[in-house]
Amino acid sequence: MFRFLRLSVLFAVLFVSAGSHAADASQPLSTADDLGPQVDQPIEFPHDRHAGDAAQGGMQINCMYCHTYARRSMTAGIPPTQKCIGCHQSIESVRETPRIKKLFEYWEAKKPIPWKKVHDLPDFVRFHHERHIQRFYFQQGKPVQEVCGYCHGNVKTMTVARRTKSLSMGWCVSCHEKQHPVDAASTKTAQGPNDCWQCHK
Amino acid sequence: MMENGFNRRDFLKVLGWGGTAVALSGCGNTSVEDGRETVNSYVEAADYVIPGIGVYFNSTCAQCDAGCSIMGKVREGRVLKLEGNPDSAINRGKTCGLGQAGVQHHYNPDRVREPLQRKGEIGVTITWEKAYELIAEKLKDVSGEEIAFLSGGVSGHLKVLLDNYLASFGCRNHFVYEALAPAVVRAANKKSYGVEMPRYNINKAKVVLSFGADFLGAWVSPVHFSQQYAQFRKGVDGERGVLIQIEPKMTLTGANADRWIPVRPGTEGVLALGIINALGTAGGDIAALVKDYDKVRVSKETGVPPGHIDKIAALLKLRSPSLVLAGSAAEGYAHGSQNAAAINLLNHVLGNVGKTVEAAAEVPFPQMAPARGNTAALKALNDGLAAGKYKVLFNYAANPIFTAPGGMKFKDNWAKADFKVVFAHYMDETALQADLVLPLDSALEDWGTHVPEYMADGAQINIQQPLMERLHANTRGMGDILLALIKQRRPEDYKSYEDYYGYLRAAMLQNKAALGGGGMDDDTFWSETLSKGIVKLAGAATTAVHSKAGATDLTLPAATQDAQYPLQLIPAVNVSLRDGRHANLPWLQESPDPLTTIVWDSWVEIHPKKALEMDITEGDIIEVTSRTGSVKAQAYLFPGIHPDAISIPLGQGHEALGRYAKGYGVNPFQILDAVFDKETGELAMHETRVKISKTGQRVIVVKDESAAGAKQIRKKIAGRMSTDNVDLSKEV
Ligand code: SF4
């Protein structure tokens, strides 16, 4: 009797959760082409100007120059304002432009800039930046913009970054299933880890 | 660890945690918040600060008086976990479960966040300026004698500031109150050894005979003693140490002992003298004292079989040095001092003094030495309040309305003071009765220096520093509050200190040379001090212990019978909850009691024999009535208790203190009679006699251990249904 009761409760729960899932599905987290929402940032940071190709007027700065934590930690973080100021205090030519003026306002008030998150993952997913950069940049010697671009898209052509990949599990796995060379010199290949607990700890 | 010498508050601010600029939006488990959540963003960051990687900062555990040094893992400006600091001689890199739970005091959702002033039955939020004005106004027309300050144990610069503050209006009424302090033992030690807290070398002893000292659980410095105990068990010269625990209610230490001997409550001193008699090695006064304590008499009074007494004596003779400890179970009687003195006498007779009982190092700054809490202070305050002596009353780090024995009627007397200020982390029972509640920073947000009462090897001053920016904008550190208050009285002397941090830094730098910083420049010394978290005082003086036994005029009453209240109530000290101040930490509530495995509740421990006599089964709700009051709780049948006693753990039964504490269990403090130790005036915690009766209700005891589990480990620690009778298939 009790067993029967529990089972029916279980079904009810399943049903409800399926229902809510269906409701979610009608509002997809990403658009069909995996483009994330346009995010308004406190300062409209021009990635194209900093990292873009010289031919397009870019400075070709290495991603890791500013995003220095990505190769050292699980979290990429965001560069401290100090980093921006380090260069901009001696770039007189743009000192009076609106964006830079705003930057200095934050700096002088010693207030952190409230950057909005553009690439987010659910809390039950553990993504490790350092592992990926070690593998593709340092071991395989791929160009840094290509490596970051696997997940972040072609940021050097954007002003404010926008998500261009779905960052869904299936999308992650599609890459983890591929054979990648283990390092730049070898012909040996290996796949990304395939265990649940690698990402779901 | 901190490398640079700048102000930590600025440092944290600079890291981006000052003010409200960083919105930490809480997101549900599954939400993906592209474009909504804010990234943790720093203004300036030191090289060692990397998002996603923890940095450890040293500080001091504030969960009990042992003074263990801790290091807190800080990530993205948040403290995540506490570990022991390996450099401290007290805890050598370890902490206890209670210490671990310190983060839950910090993140506790029930913390008081704003200063509150009483308006009828409610507390109205006011500003700090208003609160300080109010205090100044209330103090204006009262004399120093009409002001009383009740606090828990304090030491270090906080104590200095507090003393100076009280002195500034000629108030000598500082009552230092700790509900569970070993105050009687301290006084007895002072007489027996010349020092209140000697250093006990458990690790050098070959036998430890402990009279109710729960040194592995909640007694004095449990982490330190646990480590010594491990060495003791490995053995001195390959001889594994033997632990004998004598107490009427089994403690965690008792459960670890080679031999646990239940003694009739209150007769510990008699047993100690009986053992001296059985040893037969004492001469002079001592021999004369113990002459009448022969086996037959002692056995009759204590309930310990004569054979046991012989065996203990023989073992002590065979193995030397040994160590005899007088703990809380022995001191909690009207003749507690006598008990403790008799037990200490054993150390003299056995020649342990100077070997396993040694002088402890002392911090050479008497002003900073710990003001040791006791219960006599509460009585003095209570008497003063009852007589209407005090108009203004301050309360810090104590919850007397919860912990005062019901027999004292403390709550009624408290109301007799006109204006009551409570410095509080939570709205506890005492804060609820205040006229002004001032919210405090958590221990992980505050600055401080602490001098532990129990010194391990050499003297040390422990540094407490914020592990994180304050969570709530309107809480303040106790030091900051005292500084603001003392500035009202002596503005000239204190005006150069902007905050307690500044005061602390200046004070430490002023004495740099004595603190081992001679030759260092100020910034280096200060950043080293913060980075280490401990100032070790090399070559600190020690007061020598007396090697001569003190007075031998002991009078130990025989156990009395009371037909109306036949049982002795043992208020047991729970390893985690202590006097109840930690009952609002869910980690501790859900940690099973080490002996009964019960969680989130109170219980009445009763011997199975007694239970059988009274037809009580596990889970029966029984009413425990003393002369002072009564409580009702579930029965737990437990062979680790003397049949003439019952035990209720302390710490539960809150009527306030937040969602995790309120309404769980019962508070045995409420039914304690106001009986005091004759010599020291300390509350005799174990002196309450009770009767029990069944109420007819029965509940299922919520605990980890189950009938099936008990069978599995082949150890039934309490009588219950045999697993053979349980059909497991029906249980699922
Ligand atoms: S013994 Fe006391 S000071 Fe040490 S870790 Fe435990 S609670 Fe903290």
Side-chain angles (χ1 to χ4, degrees):
Chain A
M1 170 63 203
F2 280 113
R3 184 163 304 187
F4 178 72
L5 193 69
R6 278 208 199 139
L7 211 56
S8 66
V9 168
L10 185 66
F11 277 142
V13 171
L14 277 177
F15 183 73
V16 168
S17 67
S20 69
H21 190 260
D24 277 350
S26 64
Q27 295 168 336
L29 287 167
S30 57
T31 52
D33 58 355
D34 292 337
L35 199 59
Q38 188 80 51
V39 178
D40 290 334
Q41 296 289 5
I43 297 176
E44 196 196 9
F45 180 85
H47 280 96
D48 50 357
R49 190 84 180 90
H50 290 84
D53 296 337
Q56 263 72 50
M59 231 84 67
Q60 298 190 341
I61 300 170
N62 187 318
C63 308
M64 293 191 295
Y65 181 77
C66 299
H67 296 283
T68 143
Y69 303 129
R71 68 176 178 276
R72 303 194 199 136
S73 167
M74 185 180 132
T75 329
I78 198 107
T81 318
Q82 182 187 22
K83 193 104 206 173
C84 314
I85 301 297
C87 293
H88 274 278
Q89 62 186 356
S90 44
I91 308 177
E92 291 297 333
S93 58
V94 293
R95 181 68 181 78
E96 292 308 317
T97 59
R99 288 189 295 219
I100 303 300
K101 265 166 69 185
K102 214 166 168 192
L103 171 70
F104 274 89
E105 271 167 33
Y106 278 112
W107 171 249
E108 271 142 30
K110 291 279 176 268
K111 270 194 172 168
I113 306 173
W115 300 110
K116 290 275 185 302
K117 221 175 231 185
V118 174
H119 297 89
D120 196 12
L121 292 176
D123 289 356
F124 54 71
V125 180
R126 189 170 169 278
F127 176 82
H128 211 297
H129 278 90
E130 183 189 358
R131 286 289 300 133
H132 288 86
I133 294 176
Q134 283 297 334
R135 180 104 162 99
F136 292 106
Y137 180 74
F138 290 105
Q139 288 169 10
Q140 293 186 15
K142 297 263 172 72
V144 64
Q145 288 182 335
E146 181 188 323
V147 174
C148 300
Y150 293 156
C151 305
H152 294 290
N154 203 5
V155 180
K156 68 177 176 189
T157 63
M158 308 176 191
T159 51
V160 166
R162 191 169 177 185
R163 180 163 61 76
T164 59
K165 311 284 176 185
S166 74
L167 306 188
S168 65
M169 181 169 143
W171 178 84
C172 294
V173 170
S174 70
C175 195
H176 277 228
E177 277 178 342
K178 284 191 197 141
Q179 294 291 338
H180 301 279
V182 289
D183 58 48
S186 105
T187 51
K188 255 173 75 186
T189 59
Q191 289 179 329
N194 200 17
D195 293 313
C196 310
W197 58 265
Q198 281 287 348
C199 309
H200 305 295
K201 301 224 173 197
Chain B
M1 255 133 273
M2 201 88 177
E3 279 152 21
N4 296 331
F6 44 47
N7 180 328
R8 280 268 301 170
R9 284 232 195 280
D10 284 348
F11 166 70
L12 291 167
K13 224 182 261 165
V14 165
L15 283 183
W17 293 95
T20 51
V22 181
L24 288 160
S25 60
C27 53
N29 265 346
T30 57
S31 65
V32 174
E33 306 244 337
D34 281 2
R36 269 175 286 165
E37 210 175 41
T38 312
V39 190
N40 297 337
S41 148
Y42 297 148
V43 179
E44 280 178 282
D47 284 348
Y48 54 84
V49 173
I50 298 174
I53 293 178
V55 184
Y56 287 84
F57 291 93
N58 284 332
S59 191
T60 299
C61 179
Q63 299 283 86
C64 84
D65 289 336
C68 297
S69 295
I70 50 169
M71 20 187 231
K73 180 179 179 177
V74 180
R75 228 191 74 185
E76 273 95 285
R78 296 202 153 216
V79 52
L80 300 182
K81 176 141 190 325
L82 306 175
E83 309 288 354
N85 177 351
D87 284 342
S88 170
I90 294 176
N91 58 316
R92 296 181 203 281
K94 304 286 184 275
T95 64
C96 70
L98 175 55
Q100 284 292 328
V103 285
Q104 288 201 324
H105 271 312
H106 174 64
Y107 290 113
N108 201 297
D110 295 317
R111 282 178 58 190
V112 196
R113 300 174 192 202
E114 305 285 344
L116 299 169
Q117 185 188 0
R118 173 180 293 277
K119 288 259 153 59
E121 280 308 296
I122 54 163
V124 182
T125 303
I126 57 169
T127 62
W128 277 96
E129 290 71 35
K130 180 89 194 301
Y132 289 144
E133 270 168 35
L134 199 65
I135 292 176
E137 185 194 309
K138 295 284 177 186
L139 290 182
K140 214 166 58 211
D141 302 323
V142 292
S143 72
E145 280 312 300
E146 291 169 320
I147 301 164
F149 200 111
L150 178 69
S151 80
V154 281
S155 68
H157 288 98
L158 193 72
K159 185 188 146 212
V160 177
L161 259 188
L162 178 55
D163 288 348
N164 290 351
Y165 176 55
L166 296 179
S168 74
F169 40 78
C171 165
R172 282 193 302 273
N173 310 317
H174 181 195
F175 300 97
V176 188
Y177 164 55
E178 288 288 343
L180 302 177
V184 173
V185 167
R186 277 185 207 137
N189 285 350
K190 181 91 187 159
K191 281 193 180 164
S192 314
Y193 313 132
V195 288
E196 290 196 340
M197 255 308 148
R199 208 166 94 201
Y200 297 114
N201 297 319
I202 294 173
N203 52 344
K204 291 190 192 154
K206 293 180 181 168
V207 185
V208 170
L209 184 63
S210 158
F211 288 83
D214 185 16
F215 59 84
L216 298 178
W219 192 67
V220 181
S221 195
V223 175
H224 181 68
F225 291 143
S226 299
Q227 292 179 354
Q228 285 199 336
Y229 175 76
Q231 289 174 2
F232 158 84
R233 283 305 209 192
K234 278 204 194 108
V236 185
D237 313 328
E239 229 177 332
R240 181 180 181 275
V242 177
L243 169 62
I244 303 170
Q245 183 85 359
I246 299 169
E247 57 194 4
K249 178 222 155 2
M250 188 183 273
T251 57
L252 184 60
T253 311
N256 280 282
D258 295 286
R259 176 67 75 180
W260 176 76
I261 300 174
V263 63
R264 183 164 294 133
T267 60
E268 290 83 356
V270 174
L271 182 58
L273 296 186
I275 294 171
I276 296 177
N277 179 306
L279 279 167
T281 52
D285 286 353
I286 302 177
L289 171 73
V290 301
K291 161 168 107 300
D292 297 334
Y293 290 88
D294 56 275
K295 269 187 308 216
V296 181
R297 169 184 167 192
V298 171
S299 173
K300 198 161 142 258
E301 282 186 26
T302 62
V304 177
H308 277 30
I309 299 172
D310 280 341
K311 272 190 195 148
I312 294 171
L315 188 69
L316 288 171
K317 256 198 204 156
L318 192 69
R319 294 176 158 219
S320 177
S322 53
L323 173 63
V324 186
L325 297 171
S328 36
E331 70 179 325
Y333 299 93
H335 59 282
S337 285
Q338 309 280 313
N339 266 353
I343 292 164
N344 284 350
L345 201 56
L346 254 173
N347 273 325
H348 280 292
V349 172
L350 291 164
N352 297 333
V353 181
K355 290 183 191 149
T356 54
V357 180
E358 272 186 324
E362 269 175 40
V363 169
F365 313 108
Q367 262 194 305
M368 287 174 68
R372 294 163 172 137
N374 54 40
T375 48
L378 183 73
K379 180 172 189 300
L381 172 68
N382 192 45
D383 293 348
L385 284 169
K389 259 170 56 186
Y390 306 123
K391 297 226 165 80
V392 178
L393 175 58
F394 293 93
N395 179 74
Y396 165 66
N399 184 4
I401 294 192
F402 179 79
T403 53
M408 265 192 190
K409 305 254 176 297
F410 184 83
K411 192 172 168 184
D412 301 342
N413 293 328
W414 162 278
K416 292 183 184 159
D418 298 336
F419 187 64
K420 285 127 344 216
V421 184
V422 173
F423 307 93
H425 291 109
Y426 307 99
M427 291 309 288
D428 58 20
E429 286 78 359
T430 306
L432 277 182
Q433 303 302 323
D435 298 299
L436 180 64
V437 177
L438 299 179
L440 293 175
D441 284 345
S442 82
L444 305 185
E445 296 166 335
D446 205 0
W447 287 98
T449 45
H450 299 273
V451 177
E453 176 184 359
Y454 185 87
M455 288 290 180
D457 312 327
Q460 65 185 62
I461 298 174
N462 294 339
I463 306 290
Q464 177 190 0
Q465 62 176 327
L467 299 177
M468 142 169 202
E469 187 68 14
R470 45 170 76 93
L471 278 172
H472 312 298
N474 264 338
T475 58
R476 293 287 176 272
M478 188 60 192
D480 284 321
I481 299 174
L482 280 176
L483 195 66
L485 288 176
I486 199 166
K487 277 179 184 170
Q488 293 178 342
R489 318 288 310 183
R490 294 166 57 186
E492 278 310 303
D493 299 338
Y494 287 88
K495 70 165 188 276
S496 54
Y497 309 116
E498 200 195 315
D499 52 14
Y500 184 52
Y501 168 81
Y503 172 83
L504 213 59
R505 186 174 191 270
M508 295 292 282
L509 290 180
Q510 201 187 35
N511 229 338
K512 201 167 64 177
L515 299 173
M520 273 188 223
D521 71 72
D522 283 4
D523 286 345
T524 316
F525 168 71
W526 183 239
S527 62
E528 280 234 330
T529 303
L530 295 190
S531 156
K532 288 188 182 138
I534 306 166
V535 180
K536 290 191 181 163
L537 301 162
T542 51
T543 327
V545 287
H546 297 169
S547 49
K548 271 258 157 50
T552 48
D553 51 339
L554 298 175
T555 39
L556 292 161
T560 49
Q561 299 298 327
D562 185 331
Q564 201 189 351
Y565 295 96
L567 295 167
Q568 198 92 27
L569 172 67
I570 299 176
V573 181
N574 181 292
V575 175
S576 302
L577 306 182
R578 302 291 175 105
D579 64 358
R581 68 182 69 187
H582 303 300
N584 59 344
L585 305 186
W587 281 350
L588 300 181
Q589 283 277 13
E590 72 189 18
S591 307
D593 174 76
L595 294 173
T596 62
T597 76
I598 295 174
V599 291
W600 288 98
D601 210 344
S602 296
W603 63 93
V604 180
E605 255 161 59
I606 180 168
H607 194 275
K609 224 160 70 190
K610 196 83 198 169
L612 190 69
E613 224 172 78
M614 303 190 63
D615 191 24
I616 291 170
T617 359
E618 179 176 301
D620 275 347
I621 300 289
I622 52 182
E623 181 165 20
V624 178
T625 311
S626 73
R627 285 188 173 80
T628 302
S630 73
V631 291
K632 288 187 194 135
Q634 56 191 358
Y636 183 82
L637 275 47
F638 189 55
I641 187 159
H642 195 279
D644 290 345
I646 59 157
S647 170
I648 307 177
L650 293 166
Q652 300 277 25
H654 281 277
E655 287 164 7
L657 198 66
R659 68 196 75 178
Y660 305 117
K662 189 178 169 180
Y664 293 99
V666 296
N667 178 10
F669 279 116
Q670 266 174 12
I671 61 167
L672 293 189
D673 296 340
V675 183
F676 299 90
D677 173 47
K678 291 202 188 80
E679 232 172 284
T680 58
E682 289 295 313
L683 178 69
M685 291 274 289
H686 292 222
E687 201 60 281
T688 303
R689 299 192 66 91
V690 292
K691 60 181 176 198
I692 57 175
S693 57
K694 291 212 298 181
T695 61
Q697 287 158 290
R698 183 177 295 171
V699 293
I700 294 172
V701 178
V702 180
K703 56 182 201 255
D704 266 13
E705 150 210 72
S706 65
K711 177 91 178 195
Q712 245 172 10
I713 55 168
R714 305 244 163 251
K715 239 191 228 165
K716 281 204 195 178
I717 58 174
R720 57 171 55 77
M721 190 170 27
S722 140
T723 41
D724 303 343
N725 300 335
V726 180
D727 182 357
L728 281 176
S729 63
K730 291 212 179 95
E731 297 265 297
V732 185

